Amino acid sequence: MAPRISLSDRFAGDRPVIGMLHLPALPGAPDSSGDRDAIRDRALEDARRLESGGVDAILVENFGDAPFYPDDVPAHVVADMTALASVVRRAVDVPLGINVLRNDANAALSIAAAVDAAFVRINVHVGTAATDQGVLEGQAHDTVRLRDRIAPAVAILADIHVKHATPVGTPSLERVARETVDRGKADGVIVSGSGTGSQTDRGDIERAATELAARDSHARPPVFVGSGVTEDTVATYFDAGADGAIVGTALKEDGETTNPVSTDRVEAVVAAALDP
């Protein structure tokens, strides 16, 4: 069975690099300044630097909102993220993605539909994971049906063995990859390390890619590497079978996750990704 939405439908490049737009803490979060103008200006500046550096897409995420709501964020979070994503969408020409932490798939899809985003990231789409927000259960049955109703062109990229979490039970990475696509109807999978910025095991990329190729080698759903991507490692992940990379920390000034985006760092990672 072919994926519902192919990689080429979303991204122009053969080795797409998705740059993270880590939003500062939004109003209502413990670390928020409450200054919506400053938050908007920071988001716009980071987005423009990401685009100028050559990323193929931008993924907007409420990274500063810790501690995160488990799977149902309040309406004010949805409202602020929609407003911010909307101004970013108008400011850049690359595709936009949405991730609502920790695992609010309905909110992510609703925002994506409202701002004409190209994809969403879902941290726990199938199965169950123990996290610092408690036990999270995948809601693929609701997520896919909502996508089909309100945003049929939006691709679902779903994490497998997501970072900052431990799978409940002992499902193998291969089994989770297969079920995420076959039973969860995700359009692509994301493989990451243990936490933000942590190295992803190349063997995990190879295993996921090989497992999904066994379904249909001519229409294998894309595998994205979701953490630990740097100028030095990005090409090795593509060599291991990754089809795309999601990069955050390595694109920031001094390599600090909460710092502003560095255009020079973006250019370096993008160039390394394209180097065969």
Side-chain angles (χ1 to χ4, degrees):
M1 182 185 301
R4 177 186 171 86
I5 300 172
S6 71
L7 182 68
S8 60
D9 287 336
R10 301 294 89 184
F11 311 108
D14 292 333
R15 290 183 161 193
V17 173
I18 300 174
M20 290 300 307
L21 200 167
H22 291 129
L23 295 174
L26 302 176
D31 293 333
S32 179
S33 67
D35 187 339
R36 287 187 168 87
D37 289 341
I39 294 169
R40 182 197 61 224
D41 291 346
R42 168 66 182 275
L44 283 171
E45 183 61 26
D46 278 354
R48 288 171 176 142
R49 291 182 182 186
L50 288 168
E51 182 181 38
S52 176
V55 298
D56 298 279
I58 293 173
L59 178 55
V60 179
E61 180 182 85
N62 56 326
F63 182 80
D65 279 357
F68 302 113
Y69 293 94
D71 51 19
D72 187 13
V73 302
H76 66 80
V77 174
V78 179
D80 275 315
M81 288 194 69
T82 303
L84 290 165
S86 181
V87 296
V88 169
R89 183 73 182 84
R90 293 194 298 269
V92 299
D93 290 327
V94 296
L96 204 65
I98 306 293
N99 185 27
V100 180
L101 296 172
R102 174 65 154 115
N103 197 52
D104 195 335
N106 286 351
L109 281 168
S110 298
I111 297 167
V115 305
D116 193 28
F119 64 98
V120 294
R121 179 178 186 173
I122 308 300
N123 287 175
V124 182
H125 185 58
V126 303
T128 307
T131 75
D132 54 312
Q133 295 79 37
V135 176
L136 300 180
E137 296 183 358
Q139 301 293 322
H141 56 289
D142 280 338
T143 301
V144 174
R145 287 172 171 83
L146 180 64
R147 188 272 300 274
D148 291 349
R149 291 198 306 273
I150 70 169
V154 172
I156 294 173
L157 302 183
D159 284 88
I160 56 175
H161 287 190
V162 67
K163 59 189 175 182
H164 299 290
T166 302
V168 173
T170 56
S172 68
L173 182 139
E174 290 91 341
R175 175 181 170 182
V176 177
R178 184 174 64 252
E179 292 189 345
T180 298
V181 170
D182 286 347
R183 295 166 68 83
K185 307 298 182 185
D187 302 296
V189 302
I190 302 168
V191 182
S192 61
S194 60
T196 301
S198 299
Q199 290 285 311
T200 300
D201 189 327
R202 283 188 54 181
D204 288 346
I205 297 290
E206 293 171 352
R207 289 158 57 201
T210 299
E211 179 64 29
L212 295 181
R215 300 165 67 257
D216 184 344
S217 61
H218 299 293
R220 176 173 67 77
V223 175
F224 285 79
V225 54
S227 71
V229 178
T230 67
E231 178 185 356
D232 295 329
T233 64
V234 63
T236 67
Y237 287 126
F238 284 114
D239 291 342
D243 301 287
I246 300 173
V247 196
T249 300
L251 307 183
K252 303 300 186 66
E253 294 176 1
D254 300 322
E256 292 291 335
T257 308
T258 56
N259 280 354
V261 169
S262 162
T263 303
D264 289 343
R265 281 177 167 264
V266 179
E267 291 175 346
V269 170
V270 170
L274 296 175
D275 189 17

